[in-house]
Amino acid sequence: AFHIAGAYAEYTVDGGSGGGSFDLQLSFANGNATAKNLSVYVNGEHAVQLTLPATGDWNNFAEQTVARLTLQP
């Protein structure tokens, strides 16, 4: 459950034969009363820290686009 401190999800993304820069768009629900922080790691390194605002309910989703992230080939 992602509402527990230290919880994480790991994804493998194919950057294609040449790698490159890509936008990361998140769709999320945050039914807590307060914003939550999310760290994004790319290629094993911390890339960005996001703050996901409360959405009012676990069934109310919002979208957030992260600045372009560079993936290895």
Side-chain angles (χ1 to χ4, degrees):
F2 291 110
H3 64 281
I4 299 171
Y8 70 94
E10 184 175 326
Y11 297 91
T12 300
V13 178
D14 184 351
S17 62
S21 295
F22 301 89
D23 289 335
L24 172 65
Q25 185 171 6
L26 301 175
S27 179
F28 67 93
N30 177 6
N32 293 302
T34 59
K36 296 295 179 182
N37 294 322
L38 172 73
S39 294
V40 176
Y41 288 78
V42 177
N43 305 325
E45 296 184 17
H46 188 260
V48 65
Q49 180 82 20
L50 304 174
T51 300
L52 305 179
T55 59
D57 187 275
W58 289 108
N59 293 315
N60 292 337
F61 285 80
E63 291 186 353
Q64 186 168 343
T65 300
V66 178
R68 294 184 67 82
L69 302 174
T70 301
L71 302 180
Q72 297 174 347

